[in-house]
Amino acid sequence: MNKLRLFFAPPIFEDQEKTRIAAILNIVLYSFIFMLILLNLILVVQSLTSGQEFPDLIVSVIAVISFGVLIVLMRLGYVNQVSWVLSFVLSAVLTLAMLRSEALMSATVAAYFIAIIVAGLLSGGWAAVIVAIFNLLCLGVLNYLAIQGSIPNDPFPENTLVTLGVLFSLAALLLGLAARSIRDALEKARQKELEQIKANQELIAVQATLE
């Protein structure tokens, strides 16, 4: 049990901020892997009981392998790099899933918001904006290919991309504000901690002189 706990435990680094981000990354990456495995198990059982076609596991296998590689890189110390790459990997996996689906307008579109949330949570507001633009570009390319008949998917309904662009922008904006508030709160907490340490050291010095 202890070995299993150590296996899933987040890495610890000398930099406190790096350790904090690594802890969040650790939870996010393992959560993605476990949820994908659970989702596919449910879909397989549903297919067996109802006689439906088996789910397409290719995208899930690619996603699990990608997340596993990111976990290894994170444990090697590439925390900031993984923080940036994760959202783009997630967006790419979602785009591949939509490419293999029958219609572009599906529940998978909502998962693009997760990529924006992860970017804002780990790398700040500008990262969320960049990922939001990247998501919109991915959907735009898919829609263009569907309209041209290059892929068998049905294109988005009219004005859907505009609506998604507005929603992605709002999500990125709100996450940027939230990330800034979190950083300000952490900075104030660090300053108070340093002030308290300094005050304690001064008190110890005064006590030593009195003795």
Side-chain angles (χ1 to χ4, degrees):
M1 183 62 69
N2 289 332
K3 290 184 178 179
L4 187 63
R5 189 178 302 171
L6 289 173
F7 178 80
F8 291 111
I12 299 175
F13 303 99
E14 293 182 1
D15 188 342
Q16 186 177 0
E17 179 65 13
K18 189 175 181 179
T19 300
R20 184 186 71 85
I21 296 175
I24 299 174
L25 267 175
N26 193 68
I27 295 173
V28 170
L29 287 167
Y30 277 118
S31 297
F32 284 163
I33 292 174
F34 291 149
M35 291 303 294
L36 278 172
I37 294 174
L38 180 61
L39 175 62
N40 282 282
L41 285 175
I42 293 173
L43 292 176
V44 168
V45 172
Q46 186 178 7
S47 299
L48 290 173
T49 55
S50 62
Q52 298 177 357
E53 292 185 10
F54 278 92
D56 187 0
L57 301 178
I58 294 178
V59 176
S60 296
V61 171
I62 293 174
V64 170
I65 293 174
S66 300
F67 295 149
V69 171
L70 291 179
I71 289 174
V72 173
L73 291 174
M74 175 195 66
R75 293 185 177 279
L76 291 175
Y78 299 100
V79 175
N80 291 330
Q81 293 85 340
V82 172
S83 299
W84 272 93
V85 171
L86 174 57
S87 296
F88 292 101
V89 169
L90 184 57
S91 297
V93 168
L94 293 172
T95 303
L96 178 61
M98 293 186 65
L99 187 62
R100 298 177 65 85
S101 63
E102 295 180 357
L104 295 183
M105 196 62 195
S106 63
T108 307
V109 175
Y112 279 95
F113 286 99
I114 298 178
I116 299 174
I117 292 171
V118 169
L121 182 65
L122 296 174
S123 304
W126 281 111
V129 171
I130 293 172
V131 172
I133 295 173
F134 179 74
N135 289 347
L136 195 60
L137 286 175
C138 290
L139 294 176
V141 170
L142 287 177
N143 193 56
Y144 175 78
L145 293 175
I147 292 173
Q148 297 298 316
S150 301
I151 56 177
N153 313 65
D154 295 327
F156 287 112
E158 190 176 356
N159 297 327
T160 299
L161 283 178
V162 176
T163 303
L164 288 173
V166 172
L167 293 175
F168 287 169
S169 300
L170 286 174
L173 175 62
L174 293 174
L175 279 165
L177 294 174
R180 183 183 300 177
S181 299
I182 292 172
R183 284 197 301 270
D184 291 344
L186 289 174
E187 186 61 31
K188 289 179 181 178
R190 289 195 191 98
Q191 290 295 331
K192 288 183 178 179
E193 184 179 2
L194 291 174
E195 291 174 0
Q196 186 63 45
I197 293 173
K198 184 178 179 181
N200 291 338
Q201 290 175 344
E202 291 177 352
L203 181 59
I204 293 173
V206 170
Q207 290 176 344
T209 57
L210 291 176
E211 293 175 355

